[in-house]
Amino acid sequence: MDIFESSRTTSRLRKYGGENILRKIVTILCISLILILSGCNHNSIPKISEEQAKSIVLKSHAKNIGKVEIKSVSHKGNEYIVKWENKENCENGTDYINDENGKIINGETSIC
């Protein structure tokens, strides 16, 4: 294909509404992309509160020596991330609490 054929093809597209077809295709692709990306966003409302997540962590560490102090609580994805510390027992850690059922998914503990 040479330059003249290319310009003829372009002029045919313009003549028969090719620009409108391209606009429609781009619009459909953009809308599809937005729908796919918004459908992948699973930020549902948690069924348990931040206070309940704190309480779950406190109860799970109550059997240990000393008093557990909650340092921070954050919510990411479908879980609460609760950071805690027990100075008397010289340990600290992070517990991951499922925001739907309140179960501890994972826990990390370190002892000095």
Side-chain angles (χ1 to χ4, degrees):
M1 179 186 286
D2 61 4
I3 297 172
F4 297 110
E5 286 183 35
S6 172
S7 65
R8 277 188 241 150
T9 305
T10 305
S11 65
R12 281 189 209 141
L13 278 173
R14 286 186 184 143
K15 182 178 178 183
Y16 296 111
E19 288 177 356
N20 287 334
I21 292 172
L22 290 176
R23 260 193 210 121
K24 288 178 184 178
I25 289 171
V26 169
T27 303
I28 290 170
L29 288 174
C30 289
I31 291 171
S32 300
L33 182 63
I34 290 169
L35 290 174
I36 289 170
L37 291 176
S38 65
C40 293
N41 190 3
H42 295 291
N43 287 339
S44 62
I45 298 171
K47 290 187 178 175
I48 67 167
S49 69
E50 186 175 305
E51 290 302 316
Q52 288 172 314
K54 287 180 185 180
S55 176
I56 291 165
V57 170
L58 290 172
K59 285 179 187 174
S60 74
H61 296 286
K63 59 188 172 276
N64 299 336
I65 300 168
K67 184 179 176 187
V68 174
E69 181 184 339
I70 303 296
K71 291 295 187 183
S72 69
V73 179
S74 61
H75 187 260
K76 186 175 181 182
N78 63 342
E79 63 189 15
Y80 284 103
I81 302 166
V82 183
K83 295 186 182 214
W84 56 271
E85 180 179 42
N86 183 344
K87 290 181 182 179
E88 296 169 31
N89 200 18
C90 196
E91 66 180 343
N92 59 33
T94 306
D95 288 342
Y96 300 87
I97 312 296
N98 185 310
D99 70 0
E100 295 291 315
N101 58 25
K103 292 185 178 177
I104 297 177
I105 300 168
N106 193 9
E108 301 167 358
T109 304
S110 62
I111 300 171
C112 338

